[in-house]
Structure formats: C-alpha cells, structure tokens
Amino acid sequence: MIPEPALRPAASRGPGLELCHRSRLYLDDGDLVLRTRTRTRRFPTGDGGITRAVFLDVPGDDKERMGPTIEASWGEVQLQDHDGALIGSFNMEDWLPESPAIPKRWVKGEQLLDRTGVAALFKAAGIPVHVVTDRNDPLVASGSRSRGAKSLSPGGEFPRWYWSLRAVAFVVWFALFTVILFFETTEPWVILLLAATALVGPVARLVVRAWTRLRLRECVPVVRERIRPAPVEGMGTTVRFCRDTELRVQDRDLVLRVLGGREYWLPLTGPHALTSLVLVRDRTGQPLGVELRGPHDQVRAVLLWRLWFGGRGGADGWSRLRRTAGLTASERKLAGKAPWPKALGALGTDLLPDSAGTARKLSRFPSTNVGLSSTALMAFGSYFSIGQGLWIEDVHPQAAMAAILAGAVGLVLQAVPYAAHQLRSRLWLERPASEQKPTEQPV
C-alpha cells in the first residue's frame, strides 16, 4: 500500500483515467517515488540527492493549436541538489485533481501547495520549499544547471506506444507524400506503403480504445459506497448525466465521476485529505448544497443539493455519504443575501452542460493534444490514398485496388465511431431523465 501523503494526478478520462488509478508521487524509505502507468522511479533525498524544492509560482503562456487552446502551467516545482542543480521538476496542475475543472491559477501560492499535498509530502521528506515569483530569481535552476533533469509528471493521457506509432507512421507517410507530389511517381510499392501508413492512424485509434478498456479492467478499487444524483424537477438532467455522474467512496479516496467519464480523485487519508462535509442552508433554512472541505477549510468541491440530494432517494444518499466517507459533518446558514457558492469556478458547480452539443463533445473519446489537426490529417491521408489508387488504376490495377480499399477502410474506421456516438446520443442519451419532486429534506 502506498504511504501517505501521496499526490494524486489531475482528473482525466479515456486512456488518461488509468493515471488516476495508478500514478502517485510519495515518500518511501527516504526516497521520493514516482509511480506511473508503466514504471516506478526513485529519487534519493538528502546528501547526494534532493535537498531543496523551489516552487516557481509564475504562470506560463497559453499554447495555440487547432481547436481549444492549451492553457499554460499553473507553476513549476523544481527539485534541486545541494549545489542548486536541477534533479527533476513537475507542473503543479499535473498533481492537482481538480485542475481541469477550475479556472487557471484560481488557487496559487501556499494554498496550492497545501491543496495538492506537495507541502505535506516535502515536509515528511525533510525538504525545504522556497516559493519564488520571479523567473530570474537566483534560486531558479536554468541553463547548464538543468541538464539531465527528469520529469516527475504522472504521465501522458495517451500511452507512449500510441504516440510512437503515430509519429513513425506520419514521418514515413509525409516522406512518401513529398516524393509523390514532387516526382509524380506511379511506383506501386510507393503508393501501397503510403496507403498503409495512412491507415495506421485510424487503426491505432481503435486499438487504443480497446487497450484502454482492457487496462481499466485491471483497476478495481474497493468501493464502499456509490451515490448517484437525485435531481429535482427542472434541473434539465438527461439519461447520459444520470448514467455517468456519481460519487464513489473508496478506501482512500472520494471520487467524483462526471460527464464523459472524467474522474476527480480527492484523498480521504493523509495530511492533505478531505476533512469535513458542510451542509449549507439559505437564511430560510432550505438546503443549498454541500461543501467538501480540506485542510485550512479550503473548499475542494461542492455538491448542489437540488442536483444530488433534492429528489427521491436523495436523503438516503446524503445519509450514506456522511456514514461512509468518515468526514466531520456540520451545517452553516448563510447570512443575508450572500451568494453560494462564492467560488463559481469550484469543482461541482458546472456538472450540467449548457447544451446537448456540448454534452456530445465532452463525452467523445478524448483527442490528442494535436486536436482537430490530427483528425483532419487522418481524413486527408485516407482520401489521398483513394486518389492515388484511382491515378494508377490503369497501369497497376491490383495495387490501385489495394490503395483504394485501404483509404476506404480508413474513412470507415473514422466515420463509424463518430456516427455511432452521434446517433446513440441523439436517440437515447440526450433524452430527459425522469425528474423528481423535492419531497425530501436532509436528516
């Protein structure tokens, strides 16, 4: 069993969901230990190893791409030796479970160190933490002092074999595409190899889906309780929402699963664990929701009462959550017309998508960081294979047929999963869920 404090990775879904189950950063026998989906690495502390940590509390720049912008880092932690040379580093949001759901830099400084568990982990390791807010600070390792530094990231959302396979296939395909474009060759082996490499992307995408399912079957945490939403009438919940959304009380974590299968793992053990459940009422005494709080009364997540506990069976869900989570339960009443929750970006405030289209987008199998350009390139590659096959049909009919078939298969492998997702969503998952009247009160 992994000792606490142990850092949990940022919430993920699809292939990245395995990271939530497996990846941890923790202390064992005086070493910092990084466990990812494929291996475990140890970093000695003290003399000859890590002697200090520098938290560079400075945001980076956003990265543009086709599709949504990749947001910049929330800050970086550098692990250095006695001479200030960089041994390893990681981005803070990689080890903050709720980072995908809250506004960038919404939590920072000492609060971010506490919330992630970094402060508790380094305290247990005897590693002093220095917080700096200037990239030019003398404590920040750069240049020659950072050579050979290791990343202490929990791992990428997609496995390395997938990236390697796609990268090799693209390099070969682009080389052949250039040859065909500039030299107008009709050599059948060139056309066939081009069509084969164009087919790698669509096939690899299906393989990684199957690989994800098989890997996740091996991850079977002990679940003490499952709490499903009990929405009241008028919330606009759908079949998809009620199917995907749940709270799981596990042995060591409270897991919030949301639309599309993304999971947020919040610790129930260790110095950075959740500490209390606070039922919030308005000034008339009506329940508004529940705050999940951690150390120093930081609100880690909120559960809207009308969504989770207001309908039929909701009171039972609230009772089971209090009983199995092992957290201190209390109540507080808002004074005057104070809004709740104050932090509109808190985890749990926007579980319901604003439209059916948004729900379909969020629940699709996740795309790579390349975004739309990856899908566009795969589609173009398949069309180009068909075009080249038609071009050589008169002189090399067998090679032409193989190229056309490979291109058609590539298009089918891309279109069928997308069409199936759209049809299943529109015909079933986007139907309104059976909503309930608010007949129950918290006990």
Side-chain angles (χ1 to χ4, degrees), residues 122-334:
F122 289 162
K123 181 180 180 181
I127 300 173
V129 181
H130 305 273
V131 181
V132 301
T133 57
D134 186 352
R135 294 186 182 276
N136 297 319
D137 193 284
L139 290 176
V140 178
S142 59
S144 60
R145 292 199 298 167
S146 62
R147 292 178 182 175
K150 306 298 182 182
S151 171
L152 278 75
S153 163
E157 186 173 40
F158 285 82
R160 288 187 178 182
W161 64 260
Y162 177 75
W163 283 112
S164 300
L165 185 63
R166 291 286 303 274
V168 170
F170 172 75
V171 169
V172 175
W173 180 89
F174 187 76
L176 296 171
F177 172 78
T178 304
V179 169
I180 293 172
L181 190 65
F182 286 97
F183 297 98
E184 297 184 353
T185 181
T186 59
E187 288 290 336
W189 71 269
V190 175
I191 305 299
L192 288 175
L193 187 55
L194 176 90
T197 53
L199 188 58
V200 167
V203 171
R205 183 175 285 185
L206 289 183
V207 171
V208 80
R209 285 173 178 257
W211 179 88
T212 297
R213 289 179 179 271
L214 291 175
R215 295 281 291 185
L216 288 177
R217 286 179 182 177
E218 300 175 4
C219 303
V220 187
V222 176
V223 178
R224 300 203 304 261
E225 195 63 81
R226 296 179 186 270
I227 294 94
R228 296 282 186 175
V232 300
E233 185 178 0
M235 294 298 294
T237 55
T238 62
V239 172
R240 187 202 307 278
F241 173 82
C242 293
R243 182 199 66 174
D244 287 358
T245 309
E246 69 173 6
L247 273 173
R248 293 201 310 267
V249 181
Q250 301 179 175
D251 276 352
R252 307 180 68 184
D253 300 271
L254 182 67
V255 180
L256 172 61
R257 189 175 189 271
V258 300
L259 198 69
R262 186 185 298 275
E263 292 186 357
Y264 299 84
W265 287 50
L266 305 176
L268 286 174
T269 58
H272 64 303
L274 296 175
T275 58
S276 62
L277 297 169
V278 180
L279 174 61
V280 181
R281 299 179 183 271
D282 63 19
R283 57 179 179 173
T284 66
Q286 294 298 313
L288 295 175
V290 178
E291 297 174 342
L292 279 66
R293 297 192 175 196
H296 310 296
D297 276 339
Q298 287 194 56
V299 178
R300 298 293 300 271
V302 297
L303 307 173
L304 304 180
W305 190 267
R306 287 172 54 83
L307 193 62
W308 284 95
F309 310 114
R312 188 183 311 113
D316 176 66
W318 171 233
S319 177
R320 288 186 289 118
L321 176 61
R322 287 186 303 166
R323 183 176 65 252
T324 58
L327 304 176
T328 301
S330 62
E331 295 188 14
R332 72 180 183 95
K333 183 179 291 188
L334 297 180

Side-chain angles (χ1 to χ4, degrees), residues 83-101:
D83 297 323
L86 188 61
I87 296 176
S89 65
F90 60 85
N91 291 329
M92 288 294 287
E93 71 270 22
D94 288 344
W95 293 106
L96 176 63
E98 60 265 42
S99 62

